[in-house]
Amino acid sequence: MQAELVAFREEVRSFCREALPQDIRRKVAENLALERADHQRWQKILHGRGWMGGHWPLAHGGKAWKPLQRWLFEQTLAEEGAPWLIPMGVAYVGPVIYSFGSEAQKRRFLPPILSADHFWAQGYSEPNAGSDLAGLKTRAERHGDHYVVNGQKTWTTYAQWADWIFCLARTEAGDRPQDGVSFLLIDMTSPGVTVRPIATMDGKHHVNEVFFDNVRVPAENLVGEEGKAWRYAKFLLVQERLIAAETGRIRHLLAGLRAVAASVQEAGRPLGQTPSFAARIADIAIDLAALEAVCARLLAHADGDAPGGVEVNMLKIRSSELQQRVTEEMIRALGRLGIPFDPAHLDPGATPPADWPRGATGMASEFMYLRAATIYGGSNEIQRGIIAKQGLGL
Amino acid sequence: MATAPLPQNATPDNDLGSALADSASRLLATGGDDATLYAAMAEAGWLAVAIAEEQGGLGLGLAQLAALARAIGEARSTVPVMAVAGIALPLLAAAQGKLAEDLLAAALVGEAVPVLAHQAEAAGHARGHGLARLVPAEGGLRLVGRWVAVEAAGFACHLLVPARRPDGATVIVVLAVADAGVERRTYRAIDGRLLMDVAIDAAVAGDQCLTLPDPDAALDAALDRGALLAMAEAVGSMRVLLADTLAYLKTRRQFGQPIGRFQALQHRAVDLTIALEEAEAVVDAACEAEGTADFGRAVAVAKVVGCRSARLIAREAVQMHGGIGITEELRVSHHFRSLTAAESRYGDDDAYRARFAALTASDLPPAKEHRA
């Protein structure tokens, strides 16, 4: 790796060690529930350092990082125990707006993304349009200088925190299901927008249903051309999958696994010292090294924007499976305690028994939440289909 | 969302058996809290199933108990009836003397609830490790130690605690949970079961130990039954998950067709079906091996294969349901949690793989002499 990238990574590392607030660090380390205010505080700290949207162009407040540098940045953040950089604003809609939006949209929406004053949600999936996204039914009808939006989105991550949502909505019937879909920016405080939480088995509040009932959206909030959203959505999906390599997150999880394997006892010695368990941890670490090697090679060759080939789909498959494997081993370790799980212990104020491994409840929660890693962002079945069709020509 | 009908259980081949099966579906359908359900199960004879008739039981054996365990798994009930009927009571039945007889008799009518403290702190899944020592103390012996993940929290009134005498022999001490020097901490496990950690620092009189011809073998058999019944419950969950998943594959439409039309999913659904078939077969085979020299090996097979099937079916059921599979709304996530817990109950597959290897070590051909 080039010396300046190594230096950059160390700079990020020492910044995290100094600037990441202790209370937030603890919540991440123990997989406790974070609030919007925690994410916002940390993102503002990064913004103060000039590192929010480092991969954005200079003209829009970024640092024009190339993909390799961006990957190292996000990997180091996660490895150092910083909160996940919620991607909907800075990684998804931001690049769509600066690539396809109007000048007015750029002026209005980009600065509050970088300053973390606006939180965004992604209005894509619908009850009958999940893997088959083009089957979406939400409609936007033009009435003078407004669209009137009706429909329902689902699996909407952090809609409960969002100030804005970017939505795919059908503006006309097209020959193909992908035609006639438009990309709209909708104020979550608009009359007719309702957010309903979805309870998931991990005990935290991640996802929601979002209902649109005659929601009036100013026509100026249309991004790009009417009916051309599929092009922007595909651009965005590539961004989403690049993030999905999540190697820093896996490093962080792996450190947690090693800690729990050192703390849980088997036959009077640390579980991590038993050969079968040690071998599985080693297998995970080896597969992580392979994933990082694939990432580094792919990104080193990507000069400008994110690489757009099916390699990113491969990253998503491998990464999501690896994230699951790490937490599966955590659960195996915690099996010696019968796997304690009380969602009340996910509250940072809770005091679980001091003799339990640190963050035991959070590990169980993470294990359950990460079952979704092979489902969200395009399920792994969809990813394999894309690779087979587009990559292999089958 | 509609839940899929399950295939019918095989009809038990005796009247008592079919009466029990009826009571299982009737009781588990009524819901009610665990205490009410436990009392009703005791009334219906569940606790007596695996106890010989001459000891006041029904003498129906482990296979009949496993059928009930499967029904518990299907209903995802957290009633700790198997910890008593399948583990503690047969252990008492194997013992001689008034202590065991009285406790067994009281337990059979639901008046006492004994439970085995099966896992000493720091032992993990390694059997026989970390057993607390009975230490000589003023006026007799003292039991000092900690046990983790003990089942039937909130129910148990007696603890059967394996320990070592000063001479190194294994004994099983009977303590009342209300005794001085017994401290419990109750917590909820991922499958909703209430477990407890127990710390003991108590004087033990000689007549508080069970009289067993071979305490180590009795303890091994008790743990084996625990592992087997955990897998029988797991089979119940696996059946529900497979049925729900197959129904979902037929009804959920994407890309203009039921997702079950996609060959990639068809093949995986077939693998799940094979996995369930295997899990059912190895559990049945282990039940049949009860009381034979093969029981330990058969249970090890049941646990290793059962865990493999449980993992595959639990994870694939969620994956094939997609996002809805991780929600609380569907029972898919509930059974996923049950199977997650079942894998480690009474030892995980690592432990039983090692046990199988140890039990079959004599099957290995003798090593060839190394010639220089």
Side-chain angles (χ1 to χ4, degrees):
Chain A
M1 198 188 302
Q2 301 148 351
E4 58 264 38
L5 282 180
V6 174
F8 171 71
R9 186 177 61 190
E10 292 317 307
E11 192 185 350
V12 174
R13 196 182 300 287
S14 50
F15 182 78
C16 286
R17 290 184 181 173
E18 285 162 24
L20 179 59
Q22 279 306 322
D23 59 324
I24 296 179
R25 181 187 296 277
R26 176 185 160 240
K27 290 183 190 180
V28 174
E30 301 183 16
N31 293 307
L32 304 177
L34 280 103
E35 290 164 18
R36 173 184 154 126
D38 296 318
H39 287 282
Q40 190 170 44
R41 186 152 47 111
W42 172 237
Q43 288 178 21
K44 280 184 176 292
I45 290 169
L46 288 178
H47 182 52
R49 183 64 185 75
W51 283 345
M52 273 296 280
H55 59 289
W56 288 19
L58 295 169
H60 301 302
K63 296 247 185 288
W65 291 341
K66 289 180 179 172
L68 185 58
Q69 185 168 5
R70 178 189 176 191
W71 175 58
L72 284 175
F73 173 72
E74 297 193 358
Q75 183 184 54
T76 308
L77 246 50
E79 197 184 358
E80 287 300 316
W84 187 52
L85 274 185
I86 298 176
M88 276 73 80
V90 70
Y92 298 170
V93 77
V96 169
I97 290 173
Y98 68 62
S99 302
F100 306 105
S102 67
E103 289 309 314
Q105 286 169 345
K106 292 176 194 170
R107 278 195 305 276
R108 181 178 178 194
F109 292 112
L110 296 180
I113 290 175
L114 295 183
S115 65
D117 286 312
H118 280 180
F119 276 51
W120 283 81
Q122 171 175 273
Y124 270 35
S125 292
E126 297 182 6
N128 290 305
S131 287
D132 183 10
L133 187 57
L136 62 92
K137 296 276 193 298
T138 295
R139 287 163 42 81
E141 277 178 36
R142 185 75 183 248
H143 291 271
D145 60 353
H146 279 76
Y147 290 98
V148 176
V149 178
N150 281 287
Q152 181 194 346
K153 297 293 177 180
T154 193
W155 312 124
T156 315
T157 301
Y158 300 142
Q160 75 270 29
W161 294 341
D163 305 287
W164 288 83
I165 183 167
F166 56 96
C167 274
L168 297 182
R170 204 163 281 290
T171 38
E172 59 190 311
D175 293 340
R176 303 179 311 145
Q178 295 92 325
D179 295 337
V181 177
S182 297
F183 197 104
L184 292 177
L185 310 179
I186 302 178
D187 184 340
M188 289 292 281
T189 62
S190 311
V193 176
T194 309
V195 176
R196 193 184 295 161
I198 298 175
T200 49
M201 62 169 153
D202 56 282
K204 291 183 194 163
H205 179 187
H206 305 273
V207 287
N208 305 273
E209 297 175 293
V210 183
F211 299 87
F212 300 91
D213 180 16
N214 286 319
V215 175
R216 286 169 64 82
V217 178
E220 68 205 38
N221 289 2
L222 170 76
V223 174
E225 283 180 63
E226 193 178 86
K228 300 285 185 218
W230 209 251
R231 189 178 150 212
Y232 319 137
K234 281 182 82 170
F235 167 87
L236 188 154
L237 277 173
V238 170
Q239 310 288 322
E240 186 173 19
R241 282 168 196 156
L242 181 65
I243 307 300
E246 301 254 36
T247 51
R249 179 187 180 77
I250 301 172
R251 282 188 181 208
H252 185 67
L253 287 170
L254 184 56
L257 171 61
R258 288 193 161 116
V260 72
S263 136
V264 167
Q265 300 284 296
E266 174 77 0
R269 61 179 183 173
L271 174 62
Q273 291 176 13
T274 60
S276 55
F277 205 87
R280 276 198 302 271
I281 294 183
D283 264 341
I284 289 170
I286 288 164
D287 286 349
L288 173 59
L291 178 65
E292 289 181 354
V294 172
C295 269
R297 194 169 71 146
L298 182 61
L299 296 174
H301 296 154
D303 245 5
D305 274 340
V310 294
E311 291 83 359
V312 291
N313 306 85
M314 297 183 193
L315 294 181
K316 200 273 176 177
I317 291 171
R318 271 290 182 263
S319 171
S320 54
E321 291 173 352
L322 205 43
Q323 290 173 53
Q324 292 179 342
R325 271 170 59 201
V326 184
T327 54
E328 285 159 15
E329 294 308 322
M330 288 173 169
I331 284 294
R332 192 186 265 280
L334 293 172
R336 282 147 183 88
L337 305 176
I339 317 170
F341 183 68
D342 178 349
H345 287 159
L346 297 171
D347 182 322
T351 50
D355 54 318
W356 283 358
R358 185 168 176 238
T361 306
M363 283 182 208
S365 172
E366 204 66 1
F367 161 75
M368 290 186 271
Y369 172 67
L370 284 174
R371 298 323 300 176
T374 46
I375 296 168
Y376 57 56
S379 73
N380 284 17
E381 289 80 5
I382 293 297
Q383 307 291 344
R384 288 188 164 94
I386 290 170
I387 296 170
K389 197 170 163 190
Q390 295 175 14
L392 310 179
L394 295 173
Chain B
M1 192 163 299
T3 50
L6 292 175
Q8 290 300 304
N9 284 314
T11 314
D13 54 4
N14 56 63
D15 290 348
L16 268 177
S18 48
L20 277 165
D22 287 349
S23 83
S25 42
R26 184 170 45 81
L27 288 178
L28 290 164
T30 58
D33 64 40
D34 282 2
T36 311
L37 215 44
Y38 185 92
M41 288 169 175
E43 176 97 357
W46 289 39
L47 298 169
V49 168
I51 305 299
E53 287 177 79
E54 55 273 25
Q55 288 180 291
L58 297 172
L60 295 174
L62 200 46
Q64 189 69 56
L65 199 57
L68 297 177
R70 199 166 58 192
I72 285 179
E74 285 175 5
R76 228 186 73 81
S77 167
T78 53
V79 179
V81 65
M82 289 301 144
V84 183
I87 302 163
L89 298 194
L91 186 54
L92 288 172
Q96 285 140 11
K98 188 166 162 44
L99 172 67
E101 276 170 25
D102 289 352
L103 190 50
L104 176 60
L108 282 174
V109 293
E111 280 172 13
V113 181
V115 65
L116 175 67
H118 66 284
Q119 193 180 325
E121 188 184 39
H125 295 324
R127 288 186 182 186
H129 273 272
L131 285 190
R133 289 191 177 278
L134 277 166
V135 292
E138 211 173 321
L141 295 170
R142 211 166 174 79
L143 178 60
V144 182
R146 246 171 72 82
W147 288 262
V148 297
V150 181
E151 300 207 326
F155 283 80
C157 62
H158 286 90
L159 294 165
L160 312 182
V161 186
R164 279 201 211 294
R165 271 199 324 233
D167 65 2
T170 303
V171 290
I172 293 170
V173 181
V174 180
L175 289 168
V177 296
D179 281 353
V182 178
E183 284 184 22
R184 290 164 290 159
R185 183 179 67 199
T186 297
Y187 60 95
R188 202 167 285 284
I190 195 169
D191 58 354
R193 240 173 263 270
L194 277 182
L195 302 178
M196 58 182 168
D197 293 345
V198 182
I200 299 173
D201 182 355
V204 172
D207 62 0
Q208 277 180 270
C209 295
L210 294 182
T211 308
L212 287 156
D214 184 347
D216 289 303
L219 197 52
D220 262 340
L223 294 170
D224 280 342
R225 284 194 303 271
L228 177 55
L229 290 167
M231 285 300 101
E233 289 190 12
V235 162
S237 277
M238 290 185 234
R239 290 169 63 121
V240 171
L241 286 177
L242 181 60
D244 285 2
T245 302
L246 293 178
Y248 192 74
L249 290 178
K250 288 171 187 168
T251 51
R252 169 70 175 174
R253 296 178 70 87
Q254 290 279 270
F255 304 101
Q257 57 182 327
I259 58 174
R261 292 264 174 83
F262 291 101
Q263 196 177 45
L265 298 188
Q266 288 174 353
H267 287 186
R268 281 158 57 186
V270 170
D271 286 342
L272 301 191
T273 307
I274 295 170
L276 174 60
E277 197 70 30
E278 281 183 328
E280 291 188 338
V282 292
V283 166
D284 284 355
C287 287
E288 280 178 28
E290 189 199 13
T292 73
D294 264 342
F295 186 55
R297 272 186 284 189
V299 168
V301 171
K303 186 80 200 205
V304 172
V305 174
C307 282
R308 191 173 66 204
S309 296
R311 265 199 294 274
L312 182 73
I313 291 172
R315 293 170 189 175
E316 285 285 51
V318 171
Q319 181 70 23
M320 292 199 210
H321 275 83
I324 195 82
I326 66 161
T327 65
E328 287 287 352
E329 186 187 338
L330 290 200
R331 62 180 180 177
V332 171
S333 66
H334 311 164
H335 283 281
F336 174 88
R337 284 200 287 239
S338 296
L339 289 181
T340 298
E343 282 184 44
S344 61
R345 291 177 65 209
Y346 299 94
D348 67 5
D349 52 340
D350 272 356
Y352 284 88
R353 198 175 288 107
R355 183 163 158 77
F356 184 89
L359 291 171
T360 55
S362 60
D363 297 352
L364 289 173
K368 281 188 187 137
E369 268 185 51
H370 190 73
R371 287 172 210 281

